[in-house]
């Protein structure tokens, strides 16, 4: 096959040499075979790894440089080149295939996404800095988060911005999260596996062979089911007939190492339905995402991904019937998982479009979204809004893959603050509600204090700050499995965590799935019918371990706690007043100061399992963003945060709507020089690469720049 790369090469050089046109002289005497290109590119990657003058982050960035070069000329070869390099460099073979492999319907591989993003991003600038920090385990340099001025995005905040008063009357809203349906959950399969996800037919314990005699015998092995909303206890399954030695054979209702079997989901929904029909009624339900299980990417096929979504939503509909569900986008509920191309990457959006059509069709068929909302989901792919309670409450649902570090597309042009258009959408919706005296709830899957990219989360919190407390009445997330809440403080959470700096707060719903060692759980809220503020929350759970020894009967669901009774037992705060940010701030103070209350909080997080507690409770509940969390961990003297060894010397300062990025210099001169030297080396290396590997090219050396370091000025 001929390799006609001359035109693209000159394009590439324009990009690499950046912002000024250099005369490029090239001649093409050879046409390389694909095989030869792959061989050379792989060798180049090894050479980069072997280069002794680059630190870990620059090594990663040099590899991205090569990926960009290939991405602009032969993107089709990237998966092959990077998979071969990755395996030869002795990284985990399966993960190599998942990261770089060609697209396949059988595995969640992201080779194409990587190729696309690599061709777009600026490897030697902030794109590369962020990409390498999050996607190369040996690079620990996290760039300083850009400063941002968004004041041109909205009219000034009105001075009196108090929320409306409550009416004292309440209605109820259900909150379900993280079902993580495990479709291939199999009774008797290994629950103590070393290869994710346990309790599936293909999982194994690769460390040690299990003993033949099993301790668990005679407990929880039945093949029960729900039919016509009745529990039918199945026949007893005799474990002694199982030939394959298994450490911990999976029981019918689930295991703490596994996700939700269909039987457990039915049981959960049945319990919710009973409560709704016989005790109180839900106006509607929130679902904060998560229908796909936690399998490794190599066990996640397209078919399984789709079926998990369909089955979960249909079962929810079956049991909730007339109670409408307001859903949001999950991070893994897409194939390949966690990926979200910007809408304007036309060829890529087409390959992803069907997924948004799928949920738009399904959610409208189930009656949860109307025609216009379905259109919005299809078209924007990043957010939609709908009205509840006769139009007095607006609910905005956001696609949190926008800030998910696992979404490769988020590393393209990181200084473009709104490449997805999602913030503009959110701001317009909020302005509209501000004008119409409407209150707003925001729902999304991934909380911005976990697995999130700093800049988009900073933008998100700036928006929340502008519209709190009058417009934004409540914020809900899921994803982390534990039952918790988080308070947002001013200046991206870097202000002192005192009452006067508290801006808003989010409620993070517990998971139905027991995965990671928690008991299955969900909650409902009492909501003021005029202000739409949350007045109380009520969590239910089932102690899963009891289902291990109850002769195959249905698990019992129990009331776990109410927020008020637990955190304000003296009822100091009047019962008709909402659980405001001030109230949650007071709770966080109590957790920090009263050891018994901290312990109680930790028990509630997991719903009383014996999973080891997370010790960072206070940082967890007072850090709304990853940056705030980092700062909290450092000041709280925690040692599980790695501080970057080399800092960047300039912090970008973005003025939104004026299309300007300035660079603000940091003080440390020494560090700056060191950084510049490193960058110079990288540039020389890059040059060396261009000269040596595309022998067809000779280019003028990049002239030295005055003052600012080269990689940052590339964004100007
Ligand atoms: C779960 O409930 C759905 C809806 O009623 C039903 O179709 C399915 O067979 C049930 N499965 C089990 C294992 O109970
Ligand atoms: C789980 O498997 C490990 C070997 O990987 C074994 O040492 C351990 O005892 C097992 N635990 C249980 C509860 O079966
Ligand atoms: C698409 O969005 C990116 C990122 O915002 C922007 O840089 C680019 O110019 C846009 N491309 C098109 C074709 O609109
Ligand atoms: C929070 O604590 C302060 C100081 O103890 C108290 O004055 C205030 O009433 C409390 N607010 C709420 C909402 O509980
Ligand atoms: C640095 C490097 O790997 N250069 C290679 C580029 O291509 C030539 C052949 O044209 C090889 O000989 C070099 O090893």
């Amino acid at each position: 096959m001929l390799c006609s790369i001359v035109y693209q090469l000159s394009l590439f050089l324009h990009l690499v040499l950046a912002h000024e046109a250099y005369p490029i002289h090239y001649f093409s005497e050879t046409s390389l075979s694909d095989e030869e290109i792959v061989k050379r590119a792989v060798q180049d990657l090894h050479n980069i790894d072997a280069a002794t003058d680059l630190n870990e982050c620059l090594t990663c960035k040099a590899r991205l440089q090569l990926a960009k070069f290939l991405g602009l000329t032969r993107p089709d070869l990237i998966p092959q080149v990077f998979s071969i390099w990755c395996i030869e460099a002795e990284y985990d073979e399966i993960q190599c295939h998942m990261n770089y492999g060609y697209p396949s319907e059988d595995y969640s591989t992201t080779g194409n996404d990587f190729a696309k993003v690599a061709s777009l991003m600026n490897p030697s600038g902030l794109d590369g800095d962020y990409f390498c920090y999050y996607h190369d385990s040996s690079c620990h340099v996290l760039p300083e988060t850009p400063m941002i001025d968004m004041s041109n995005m909205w009219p000034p905040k009105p001075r009196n911005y108090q929320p409306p008063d409550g009416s004292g009357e309440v209605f109820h809203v259900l909150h379900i999260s993280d079902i993580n349906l495990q479709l291939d959950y199999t009774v008797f399969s290994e629950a103590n596996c070393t290869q994710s996800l346990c309790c599936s037919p293909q999982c194994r314990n690769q460390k040690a062979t299990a003993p033949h005699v099993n301790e668990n015998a005679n407990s929880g092995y039945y093949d029960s089911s729900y039919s016509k909303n009745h529990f039918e206890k199945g026949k007893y399954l005799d474990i002694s007939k199982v030939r394959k030695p298994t450490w911990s054979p999976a029981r019918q209702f689930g295991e703490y190492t596994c996700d939700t079997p269909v039987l457990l989901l039915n049981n959960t929904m049945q319990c919710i339905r009973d409560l709704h029909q016989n005790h109180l009624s839900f106006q509607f339900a929130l679902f904060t995402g998560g229908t796909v299980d936690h399998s490794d990417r190599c066990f996640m096929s397209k078919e399984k991904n789709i079926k998990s979504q369909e089955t979960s939503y249909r079962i929810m509909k079956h049991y909730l019937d007339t109670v409408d569900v307001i859903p949001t986008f999950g991070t893994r509920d897409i194939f390949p998982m966690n990926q979200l191309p910007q809408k304007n990457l036309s060829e890529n959006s087409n390959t992803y479009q069907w997924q948004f059509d799928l949920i738009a069709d399904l959610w409208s068929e189930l009656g949860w979204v109307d025609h216009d909302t379905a259109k919005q989901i299809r078209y924007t792919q990043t957010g939609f809004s709908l009205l509840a309670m006769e139009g007095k409450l607006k609910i905005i649902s956001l696609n949190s893959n926008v800030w998910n570090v696992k979404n490769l597309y988020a590393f393209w042009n990181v200084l473009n603050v709104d490449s997805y258009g999602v913030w503009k959408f959110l701001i317009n919706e909020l302005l509209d509600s501000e004008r119409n005296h409407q209150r707003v709830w925001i729902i999304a899957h991934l909380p911005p204090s976990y697995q999130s990219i700093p800049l988009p989360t900073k933008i998100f919190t700036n928006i929340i700050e502008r519209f709190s407390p009058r417009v934004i009445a409540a914020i809900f997330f899921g994803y982390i499995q534990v039952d918790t809440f988080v308070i947002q403080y001013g200046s991206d959470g870097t202000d002192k965590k005192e009452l006067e700096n508290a801006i808003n707060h989010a409620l993070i719903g517990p998971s139905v799935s027991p995965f990671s060692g928690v008991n299955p759980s969900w909650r409902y809220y009492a909501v003021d019918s005029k202000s739409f503020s949350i007045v109380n929350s009520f969590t239910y759970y089932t102690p899963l371990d009891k289902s291990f020894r109850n002769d195959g009967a249905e698990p019992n669901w129990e009331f776990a706690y109410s927020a008020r009774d637990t955190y304000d037992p003296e009822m100091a705060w009047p019962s008709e007043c909402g659980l405001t940010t001030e109230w949650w701030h007071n709770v966080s103070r109590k957790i920090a100061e009263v050891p018994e209350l901290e312990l109680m909080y930790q028990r509630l997080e997991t719903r009383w399992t014996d999973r080891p507690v997370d010790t960072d409770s206070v940082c967890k509940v007072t850090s709304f963003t990853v940056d705030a969390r980092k700062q909290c961990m450092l000041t709280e003297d925690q040692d599980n945060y790695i501080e970057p060894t080399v800092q960047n010397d300039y912090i970008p300062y973005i003025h939104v709507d004026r299309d300007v990025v300035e660079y603000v210099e940091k003080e440390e001169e020494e560090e700056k020089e060191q950084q510049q030297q490193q960058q110079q080396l990288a540039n020389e290396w890059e040059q060396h690469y261009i000269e040596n590997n595309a022998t067809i090219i000779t280019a003028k050396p990049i002239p030295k720049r005055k003052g600012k370091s080269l990689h940052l000025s590339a964004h100007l």
Side-chain angles (χ1 to χ4, degrees), residues 29-30 32 36 40-41 43-45 47-48 685 688-689 691-696:
E29 11 119 72
T30 40
L32 302 178
E36 187 63 17
R40 289 183 187 192
Q43 186 52 49
D44 285 342
L45 288 171
N47 293 346
I48 291 170
W685 214 96
H688 167 87
Y689 166 67
E691 282 163 3
N692 289 289
N693 293 273
T695 30
I696 22 182

mmCIF file of all heavy atoms in Angstrom, residues 29-30 32 36 40-41 43-45 47-48 685 688-689 691-696, ligand 5:
data_model
loop_
_atom_site.group_PDB
_atom_site.id
_atom_site.type_symbol
_atom_site.label_atom_id
_atom_site.label_comp_id
_atom_site.label_asym_id
_atom_site.label_seq_id
_atom_site.Cartn_x
_atom_site.Cartn_y
_atom_site.Cartn_z
ATOM 1 N N GLU A 29 11.060 10.423 -1.505
ATOM 2 C CA GLU A 29 11.615 9.504 -2.476
ATOM 3 C C GLU A 29 11.110 8.107 -2.222
ATOM 4 O O GLU A 29 11.147 7.261 -3.074
ATOM 5 C CB GLU A 29 13.144 9.528 -2.438
ATOM 6 C CG GLU A 29 13.708 10.284 -1.256
ATOM 7 C CD GLU A 29 14.562 9.448 -0.340
ATOM 8 O OE1 GLU A 29 15.669 9.116 -0.747
ATOM 9 O OE2 GLU A 29 14.114 9.148 0.774
ATOM 10 N N THR A 30 10.643 7.884 -1.011
ATOM 11 C CA THR A 30 10.251 6.522 -0.686
ATOM 12 C C THR A 30 8.761 6.413 -0.400
ATOM 13 O O THR A 30 8.149 7.324 0.098
ATOM 14 C CB THR A 30 10.978 6.036 0.584
ATOM 15 O OG1 THR A 30 11.009 7.121 1.482
ATOM 16 C CG2 THR A 30 12.342 5.516 0.268
ATOM 17 N N LEU A 32 6.720 3.987 1.853
ATOM 18 C CA LEU A 32 6.934 2.907 2.814
ATOM 19 C C LEU A 32 5.726 1.994 2.885
ATOM 20 O O LEU A 32 4.587 2.437 2.767
ATOM 21 C CB LEU A 32 7.180 3.502 4.206
ATOM 22 C CG LEU A 32 8.351 4.470 4.333
ATOM 23 C CD1 LEU A 32 8.437 4.995 5.753
ATOM 24 C CD2 LEU A 32 9.653 3.803 3.927
ATOM 25 N N GLU A 36 6.405 -1.492 7.327
ATOM 26 C CA GLU A 36 7.620 -0.741 7.620
ATOM 27 C C GLU A 36 7.312 0.454 8.531
ATOM 28 O O GLU A 36 8.031 0.747 9.487
ATOM 29 C CB GLU A 36 8.254 -0.286 6.298
ATOM 30 C CG GLU A 36 9.618 0.373 6.444
ATOM 31 C CD GLU A 36 10.684 -0.566 7.026
ATOM 32 O OE1 GLU A 36 10.478 -1.807 7.017
ATOM 33 O OE2 GLU A 36 11.684 -0.031 7.499
ATOM 34 N N ARG A 40 8.898 0.989 12.223
ATOM 35 C CA ARG A 40 9.681 2.173 12.597
ATOM 36 C C ARG A 40 9.046 2.930 13.744
ATOM 37 O O ARG A 40 9.732 3.395 14.661
ATOM 38 C CB ARG A 40 9.811 3.109 11.394
ATOM 39 C CG ARG A 40 10.717 2.553 10.340
ATOM 40 C CD ARG A 40 10.848 3.547 9.229
ATOM 41 N NE ARG A 40 11.580 2.975 8.123
ATOM 42 C CZ ARG A 40 12.037 3.684 7.107
ATOM 43 N NH1 ARG A 40 11.812 4.980 7.055
ATOM 44 N NH2 ARG A 40 12.703 3.095 6.140
ATOM 45 N N ALA A 41 7.737 3.070 13.676
ATOM 46 C CA ALA A 41 7.065 3.838 14.728
ATOM 47 C C ALA A 41 7.222 3.152 16.084
ATOM 48 O O ALA A 41 7.482 3.806 17.092
ATOM 49 C CB ALA A 41 5.585 4.012 14.387
ATOM 50 N N GLN A 43 9.635 1.208 16.970
ATOM 51 C CA GLN A 43 11.027 1.416 17.378
ATOM 52 C C GLN A 43 11.215 2.815 17.954
ATOM 53 O O GLN A 43 11.885 3.005 18.958
ATOM 54 C CB GLN A 43 11.950 1.182 16.171
ATOM 55 C CG GLN A 43 13.433 1.220 16.521
ATOM 56 C CD GLN A 43 13.764 0.276 17.684
ATOM 57 O OE1 GLN A 43 13.373 -0.884 17.686
ATOM 58 N NE2 GLN A 43 14.453 0.792 18.703
ATOM 59 N N ASP A 44 10.582 3.801 17.318
ATOM 60 C CA ASP A 44 10.678 5.171 17.821
ATOM 61 C C ASP A 44 10.143 5.277 19.239
ATOM 62 O O ASP A 44 10.711 5.974 20.078
ATOM 63 C CB ASP A 44 9.885 6.117 16.915
ATOM 64 C CG ASP A 44 10.620 6.365 15.612
ATOM 65 O OD1 ASP A 44 11.832 6.100 15.565
ATOM 66 O OD2 ASP A 44 9.976 6.823 14.655
ATOM 67 N N LEU A 45 9.031 4.595 19.480
ATOM 68 C CA LEU A 45 8.462 4.645 20.836
ATOM 69 C C LEU A 45 9.439 4.057 21.848
ATOM 70 O O LEU A 45 9.630 4.600 22.931
ATOM 71 C CB LEU A 45 7.118 3.899 20.889
ATOM 72 C CG LEU A 45 5.962 4.616 20.187
ATOM 73 C CD1 LEU A 45 4.738 3.709 20.111
ATOM 74 C CD2 LEU A 45 5.600 5.909 20.907
ATOM 75 N N ASN A 47 12.624 4.005 21.491
ATOM 76 C CA ASN A 47 13.728 4.959 21.612
ATOM 77 C C ASN A 47 13.368 6.096 22.569
ATOM 78 O O ASN A 47 14.194 6.564 23.347
ATOM 79 C CB ASN A 47 14.091 5.553 20.251
ATOM 80 C CG ASN A 47 14.689 4.502 19.328
ATOM 81 O OD1 ASN A 47 15.067 3.415 19.779
ATOM 82 N ND2 ASN A 47 14.751 4.813 18.040
ATOM 83 N N ILE A 48 12.143 6.543 22.471
ATOM 84 C CA ILE A 48 11.693 7.605 23.384
ATOM 85 C C ILE A 48 11.793 7.111 24.820
ATOM 86 O O ILE A 48 12.315 7.796 25.697
ATOM 87 C CB ILE A 48 10.240 8.024 23.062
ATOM 88 C CG1 ILE A 48 10.188 8.752 21.715
ATOM 89 C CG2 ILE A 48 9.665 8.893 24.170
ATOM 90 C CD1 ILE A 48 8.789 8.991 21.181
ATOM 91 N N TRP A 685 14.337 17.040 21.275
ATOM 92 C CA TRP A 685 14.034 15.645 21.007
ATOM 93 C C TRP A 685 12.996 15.520 19.899
ATOM 94 O O TRP A 685 13.109 14.725 18.984
ATOM 95 C CB TRP A 685 13.543 14.951 22.271
ATOM 96 C CG TRP A 685 14.001 13.549 22.242
ATOM 97 C CD1 TRP A 685 15.113 13.045 22.827
ATOM 98 C CD2 TRP A 685 13.399 12.492 21.503
ATOM 99 N NE1 TRP A 685 15.245 11.730 22.510
ATOM 100 C CE2 TRP A 685 14.212 11.359 21.698
ATOM 101 C CE3 TRP A 685 12.283 12.371 20.691
ATOM 102 C CZ2 TRP A 685 13.931 10.137 21.123
ATOM 103 C CZ3 TRP A 685 12.000 11.155 20.119
ATOM 104 C CH2 TRP A 685 12.822 10.051 20.344
ATOM 105 N N HIS A 688 14.626 16.164 16.753
ATOM 106 C CA HIS A 688 15.411 14.998 16.417
ATOM 107 C C HIS A 688 14.508 13.928 15.813
ATOM 108 O O HIS A 688 14.813 13.302 14.816
ATOM 109 C CB HIS A 688 16.066 14.488 17.703
ATOM 110 C CG HIS A 688 16.655 13.124 17.592
ATOM 111 N ND1 HIS A 688 17.930 12.918 17.150
ATOM 112 C CD2 HIS A 688 16.141 11.905 17.879
ATOM 113 C CE1 HIS A 688 18.183 11.616 17.167
ATOM 114 N NE2 HIS A 688 17.115 10.987 17.604
ATOM 115 N N TYR A 689 13.349 13.790 16.441
ATOM 116 C CA TYR A 689 12.388 12.797 15.960
ATOM 117 C C TYR A 689 11.959 13.123 14.537
ATOM 118 O O TYR A 689 11.946 12.276 13.646
ATOM 119 C CB TYR A 689 11.174 12.740 16.887
ATOM 120 C CG TYR A 689 10.054 12.006 16.237
ATOM 121 C CD1 TYR A 689 10.173 10.640 15.985
ATOM 122 C CD2 TYR A 689 8.926 12.677 15.779
ATOM 123 C CE1 TYR A 689 9.193 9.965 15.327
ATOM 124 C CE2 TYR A 689 7.944 12.000 15.123
ATOM 125 C CZ TYR A 689 8.073 10.644 14.887
ATOM 126 O OH TYR A 689 7.115 9.981 14.224
ATOM 127 N N GLU A 691 13.461 14.916 12.318
ATOM 128 C CA GLU A 691 14.546 14.780 11.357
ATOM 129 C C GLU A 691 14.890 13.335 11.060
ATOM 130 O O GLU A 691 15.184 12.954 9.947
ATOM 131 C CB GLU A 691 15.790 15.513 11.853
ATOM 132 C CG GLU A 691 15.664 17.012 11.638
ATOM 133 C CD GLU A 691 16.653 17.796 12.470
ATOM 134 O OE1 GLU A 691 17.471 17.170 13.161
ATOM 135 O OE2 GLU A 691 16.587 19.027 12.418
ATOM 136 N N ASN A 692 14.872 12.528 12.118
ATOM 137 C CA ASN A 692 15.357 11.187 11.946
ATOM 138 C C ASN A 692 14.328 10.183 11.469
ATOM 139 O O ASN A 692 14.674 9.182 10.891
ATOM 140 C CB ASN A 692 15.962 10.670 13.245
ATOM 141 C CG ASN A 692 17.251 11.385 13.514
ATOM 142 O OD1 ASN A 692 18.231 11.159 12.823
ATOM 143 N ND2 ASN A 692 17.221 12.287 14.458
ATOM 144 N N ASN A 693 13.121 10.462 11.784
ATOM 145 C CA ASN A 693 12.151 9.431 11.501
ATOM 146 C C ASN A 693 11.355 9.676 10.254
ATOM 147 O O ASN A 693 10.907 8.759 9.623
ATOM 148 C CB ASN A 693 11.225 9.253 12.676
ATOM 149 C CG ASN A 693 12.016 8.711 13.815
ATOM 150 O OD1 ASN A 693 12.173 7.526 13.931
ATOM 151 N ND2 ASN A 693 12.568 9.630 14.584
ATOM 152 N N ALA A 694 11.147 10.906 9.964
ATOM 153 C CA ALA A 694 10.628 11.164 8.649
ATOM 154 C C ALA A 694 11.845 11.672 7.899
ATOM 155 O O ALA A 694 12.087 12.855 7.838
ATOM 156 C CB ALA A 694 9.530 12.197 8.719
ATOM 157 N N THR A 695 12.631 10.772 7.401
ATOM 158 C CA THR A 695 13.868 11.164 6.726
ATOM 159 C C THR A 695 13.564 12.032 5.526
ATOM 160 O O THR A 695 14.425 12.689 4.977
ATOM 161 C CB THR A 695 14.663 9.929 6.241
ATOM 162 O OG1 THR A 695 13.731 8.915 5.957
ATOM 163 C CG2 THR A 695 15.665 9.495 7.257
ATOM 164 N N ILE A 696 12.328 12.007 5.132
ATOM 165 C CA ILE A 696 11.890 12.805 4.024
ATOM 166 C C ILE A 696 11.870 14.300 4.340
ATOM 167 O O ILE A 696 11.660 15.096 3.472
ATOM 168 C CB ILE A 696 10.461 12.366 3.640
ATOM 169 C CG1 ILE A 696 9.824 11.683 4.830
ATOM 170 C CG2 ILE A 696 10.496 11.506 2.417
ATOM 171 C CD1 ILE A 696 8.445 11.155 4.581
HETATM 172 C C1 LIG B 5 15.219 7.793 15.719
HETATM 173 C C2 LIG B 5 14.793 6.734 14.780
HETATM 174 O O1 LIG B 5 14.228 5.738 15.162
HETATM 175 N N1 LIG B 5 15.053 6.950 13.515
HETATM 176 C C3 LIG B 5 14.722 6.001 12.493
HETATM 177 C C4 LIG B 5 13.958 6.731 11.428
HETATM 178 O O2 LIG B 5 14.007 6.103 10.169
HETATM 179 C C5 LIG B 5 15.299 5.697 9.712
HETATM 180 C C6 LIG B 5 15.151 5.080 8.356
HETATM 181 O O3 LIG B 5 14.705 6.057 7.474
HETATM 182 C C7 LIG B 5 15.859 4.685 10.700
HETATM 183 O O4 LIG B 5 17.141 4.230 10.246
HETATM 184 C C8 LIG B 5 16.002 5.322 12.033
HETATM 185 O O5 LIG B 5 16.374 4.346 12.980
#
